[in-house]
Amino acid sequence: MARGLAGNPAAPVDVLLRLLDNHAEAVPAAFRRRADLPSAVVAAAMRHPVARVRGALAANPHVDPVIRLRLLDDPERRVVDLVRADPDLALPDRAFLPYLDRLVEQFRRDLLTAVELRGEVIEVGIRDQRSVSAVATHPEPLVRAAAVDLLGLVRETSRNRLREALLQDDVPEVRAATAHFFAERERVQEPADLPGNGYAYRGMLSERRLSPALIEYVLADRDGWHGAEAMATNPTLPPEVVEALFEHPSADVRRGLAQRDDLTGAQLARLAADPDVSVRTAVSVHPGLSEKDRAAIDIDVTTAPWDRRVDLCWHHRPALPSPPLPPSAESVRFATSVNPLLRRRAAVDPRLPADAVTTLADDPDPAVRALLAHHHPAAPPDLLLRVFREYEHRRCDRGRLLALPNFPTAALARFAHDRDPAVRRLVARDPEADPAIVDRLTHDPDATVREAMAACPRLPVDRIVDLLDDTELAESAAANPALPVPVMRERVGSPSR
């Protein structure tokens, strides 16, 4: 029950402070999510002796960032980790210094070799690109020297600034390592230069200048790593090699060719008529094609690598920074494309004008509608509700839709008999829902529906109070904002139930 009270938006300050004093173990789950924590409660939680309470503030994105950043100095490492775990929080370099300093200390105690130290530092940067500046300015030269491998993770303005700083470093070894790195980037690569790491292997083949001997080596697939697929996208590849790859038996290689910007009209036509549907689908979004060309291509969107991400609504944040949005005019043009994959690209652009939003809101492709619902601030309420109902069996984040300000609340009680429990839970959001319907749904076969109704302010007050003694629904009832404050005060002083 105490956990429910901690999350109750109507709980007064004295109740929340009493919870911190008497039921600290029940507070963190609610305090991690609440957007309305009073300043007095935040102050008390900041100095609370229980680390999990302080950690709840560290993880709460609604708490003032200035307050959260103070927790970088918390004595408990797990509290600091929770601050760092928020990818949207602008972190100072000092947020990463304890981790880098520990690595340096292990190196000085001969627990890590110089090579291992470099690898660990690079791993820190890959996990969180916000750490690159801290790496590039760290007091230990071996750490700074590793920063050059991480510059590709940051945006161009930061990249140029850090590169110049490393090239002018006070320590000759850092300057030399940086200069060597960039010289290597320009040098023509030979077979002996191929790295043993698969990720680095593919990166070299797709980005660096390759010697004829290395190209021949890759085409022969002597190491069994199928490097021709990565090589097919390399912008420095000689035209005759590109042309030869059109005859490659692997559809993966031909799909790689479809990503090239320098394809001729004849080459685009060959890929558009490829016997493998995944190749045709890949080339169907090429900027060199007209809408008439696209309409003539037989595609299958489920073969596109990015189609699988639609199930996740593209909310997973990658280690690399998100690519910049295309020019607005391009997104508007994509919104009317015959190709659903291009319309999906338009749907994730929050700058789309109202007419384009209206068009895409009724798109025949369910993924276009879902992406628009999740990404555009003006997505209409009817669309949000439709997407919520349509995505019952997909991994789309339905809960995120409910948090959007445009999600409708009116007339949701009509879903009281819907077969989908998640839709039945919507009844609790309807401000005009009949209390009798809400009460009936506290006996629903689905536990999540029962919990939602126990927390619904349209539930009769006497029923809410009764449910405080219900083993299953006490927590939800305690979170109900219609629960009388005197009852809250009476219950909060008693042992947690």
Side-chain angles (χ1 to χ4, degrees):
M1 186 186 71
R3 285 192 297 269
L5 286 173
N8 192 320
V13 171
D14 63 289
V15 169
L16 296 177
L17 292 176
R18 183 72 65 85
L19 286 169
L20 281 172
D21 289 340
N22 297 345
H23 304 279
E25 77 288 347
V27 164
F31 279 21
R32 287 172 69 103
R33 302 187 300 269
R34 286 192 62 153
D36 58 347
L37 282 175
S39 57
V41 175
V42 171
M46 280 285 289
R47 58 177 183 267
H48 201 280
V50 176
R52 288 184 64 241
V53 172
R54 303 193 303 276
L57 293 185
N60 188 329
H62 306 293
V63 171
D64 185 342
V66 174
I67 293 175
R68 296 173 69 198
L69 290 177
R70 290 180 199 156
L71 291 168
L72 289 173
D73 299 316
D74 195 274
E76 284 282 346
R77 180 176 175 179
R78 54 184 168 168
V79 175
V80 178
D81 287 343
L82 287 168
V83 179
R84 291 184 61 237
D86 184 348
D88 296 324
L89 190 62
L91 296 176
D93 287 354
R94 68 184 182 88
F96 303 96
L97 291 180
Y99 302 89
L100 297 173
D101 290 346
R102 273 195 291 272
L103 293 175
V104 172
E105 178 62 23
Q106 290 174 7
F107 166 72
R108 290 172 178 166
R109 294 170 54 198
D110 293 328
L111 299 176
L112 290 176
T113 66
V115 172
E116 290 170 336
L117 172 63
R118 181 184 184 89
E120 291 290 340
V121 170
I122 291 172
E123 183 63 27
V124 170
I126 290 174
R127 285 199 305 267
D128 194 329
Q129 58 93 13
R130 294 171 297 179
S131 68
V132 176
S133 175
V135 171
T137 58
H138 194 274
E140 169 55 53
L142 288 174
V143 172
R144 296 200 302 278
V148 70
D149 280 290
L150 301 170
L151 296 185
L153 301 179
V154 298
R155 299 205 182 278
E156 187 174 0
T157 52
S158 298
R159 184 185 315 142
N160 293 338
R161 174 177 57 81
L162 294 175
R163 171 179 173 169
E164 288 307 308
L166 291 169
L167 286 171
Q168 299 174 31
D169 195 275
D170 293 338
V171 177
E173 289 80 5
V174 176
R175 297 197 301 270
T178 305
H180 176 74
F181 176 87
F182 286 108
E184 281 295 294
R185 299 287 293 179
E186 298 300 322
R187 184 176 63 83
V188 175
Q189 304 297 300
E190 300 290 346
D193 297 315
L194 282 170
N197 174 276
Y199 180 82
Y201 178 96
R202 290 185 292 274
M204 172 189 285
L205 295 180
S206 64
E207 299 170 2
R208 310 281 278 277
R209 295 167 59 201
L210 311 178
S211 71
L214 179 52
I215 292 172
E216 180 184 353
Y217 180 92
V218 172
L219 291 177
D221 195 25
R222 291 173 187 160
D223 54 16
W225 281 19
H226 310 296
E229 178 186 357
M231 190 173 70
T233 65
N234 191 316
T236 70
L237 210 59
E240 64 274 14
V241 178
V242 173
E243 183 64 27
L245 288 177
F246 277 83
E247 302 298 329
H248 200 283
S250 170
D252 293 339
V253 173
R254 303 196 301 278
R255 266 200 316 276
L257 290 172
Q259 301 176 42
R260 299 185 64 89
D261 294 329
D262 58 356
L263 298 178
T264 66
Q267 289 172 334
L268 287 170
R270 288 177 67 180
L271 293 175
D274 194 277
D276 190 288
V277 68
S278 69
V279 177
R280 302 195 301 269
T281 302
V283 79
S284 71
V285 298
H286 197 281
L289 295 175
S290 68
E291 284 297 293
K292 182 178 179 181
D293 294 332
R294 297 188 214 286
I297 303 175
D298 178 24
I299 68 173
D300 178 357
V301 295
T302 64
T303 67
W306 55 88
D307 179 72
R308 291 189 289 275
R309 284 185 285 164
V310 170
D311 278 356
L312 302 172
C313 290
W314 294 4
H315 288 135
H316 288 284
R317 297 180 175 93
L320 301 181
S322 300
L325 290 168
S328 295
E330 185 172 290
S331 289
V332 171
R333 187 171 69 252
F334 287 166
T336 58
S337 175
V338 297
N339 188 296
L341 295 174
L342 289 180
R343 299 200 303 276
R344 292 179 188 183
R345 293 185 186 181
V348 301
D349 190 337
R351 306 165 303 175
L352 280 181
D355 56 344
V357 172
T358 300
T359 298
L360 294 180
D362 198 34
D363 196 275
D365 179 38
V368 170
R369 300 194 298 271
L371 291 169
L372 182 71
H374 279 270
H375 290 273
H376 203 285
D382 288 349
L383 172 67
L384 299 182
L385 179 59
R386 179 182 182 182
V387 170
F388 185 90
R389 299 189 68 195
E390 285 178 338
Y391 270 60
E392 178 185 356
H393 300 298
R394 303 187 77 173
R395 292 177 291 168
C396 185
D397 188 356
R398 301 169 98 186
R400 184 177 179 276
L401 290 174
L402 295 176
L404 298 177
N406 283 356
F407 197 92
T409 57
L412 297 180
R414 70 185 188 275
F415 298 123
H417 297 283
D418 196 277
R419 63 183 180 82
D420 181 359
V423 176
R424 295 200 299 279
R425 290 199 299 271
L426 295 178
V427 174
R429 300 170 62 88
D430 187 342
E432 303 297 329
D434 185 338
I437 293 176
V438 177
D439 192 359
R440 177 178 63 79
L441 288 174
T442 61
H443 302 284
D444 191 90
D446 184 87
T448 65
V449 175
R450 298 193 297 272
E451 292 165 0
M453 299 309 140
C456 176
R458 265 75 63 199
L459 187 65
V461 172
D462 58 347
R463 177 69 170 144
I464 299 172
V465 174
D466 287 345
L467 289 178
L468 293 177
D469 296 312
D470 183 293
T471 304
E472 178 193 43
L473 299 178
E475 180 176 334
S476 299
N480 196 316
L483 182 66
V485 170
V487 176
M488 295 184 198
R489 290 182 171 131
E490 175 192 345
R491 296 282 183 140
V492 79
S494 60
S496 180
R497 301 187 179 204

